[in-house]
Amino acid sequence: MQKTKLLIVGMLLNAAIATSALAASNPLSVHVLNLQDGLPSAGVNVKLEKKIDNNWVQISEGVTNVQGRIPALYPSESIMEKGSYRVTFQTEEWFNKHKTSTFFPEIPVIFKADGSVPHYHIPLLLSPYGFSSYRGN
């Protein structure tokens, strides 16, 4: 039993280290937490767009992992250019999978990358009828 516990702890630690290394090398990560139960929201589809000449152009997409995170949402091997970006969380799909209605079918978070930090983190605190986001680290 003790060996099994150590194996599980080792696997979780290894996953956490891999996730932080990936996030450190990518300029953008997101995290979704469900405020109803205080748990991570795994399986949320997320789209990343950049504003180019007054149009939003999709540059990446991903799905939150079991921790509710996408540790590397920006295209790999790319440097984040200064500009306006939109991260859109497809919340209606996620709530439908969990048999819960929601007022917000999607939640766009628009932010400006100014190059003042090497990594941007967009957390989303989510409930069926409200949400909150902020500049994380």
Side-chain angles (χ1 to χ4, degrees):
M1 183 68 158
Q2 184 66 20
K3 286 183 181 180
T4 303
K5 285 181 184 177
L6 286 174
L7 179 62
I8 291 170
V9 168
M11 288 170 41
L12 290 172
L13 184 57
N14 200 13
I17 290 169
T19 297
S20 2
L22 189 55
S25 67
N26 191 280
L28 180 63
S29 59
V30 299
H31 189 194
V32 183
L33 290 170
N34 182 350
L35 289 175
Q36 279 188 285
D37 57 17
L39 297 174
S41 300
V44 176
N45 291 313
V46 181
K47 178 173 55 172
L48 174 63
E49 299 165 290
K50 184 175 190 317
K51 194 170 193 178
I52 300 173
D53 299 328
N54 274 344
N55 295 308
W56 290 107
V57 177
Q58 184 172 331
I59 59 173
S60 180
E61 62 186 338
V63 179
T64 57
N65 62 21
V66 295
Q67 298 171 334
R69 297 177 182 272
I70 301 175
L73 186 57
Y74 201 78
S76 60
E77 309 293 324
S78 299
I79 295 171
M80 184 177 252
E81 299 172 0
K82 291 181 181 181
S84 294
Y85 292 85
R86 178 168 62 189
V87 173
T88 304
F89 299 88
Q90 303 298 325
T91 52
E92 185 171 50
E93 295 171 5
W94 186 85
F95 278 115
N96 285 343
K97 289 178 198 172
H98 293 86
K99 298 179 179 19
T100 303
S101 62
T102 181
F103 185 68
F104 301 102
E106 62 181 22
I107 298 172
V109 177
I110 298 171
F111 67 98
K112 189 176 215 174
D114 61 6
S116 63
V117 295
H119 181 83
Y120 295 88
H121 182 66
I122 310 293
L124 179 70
L125 305 176
L126 178 62
S127 77
Y129 299 100
F131 65 90
S132 177
S133 187
Y134 56 93
R135 178 179 169 180
N137 60 19

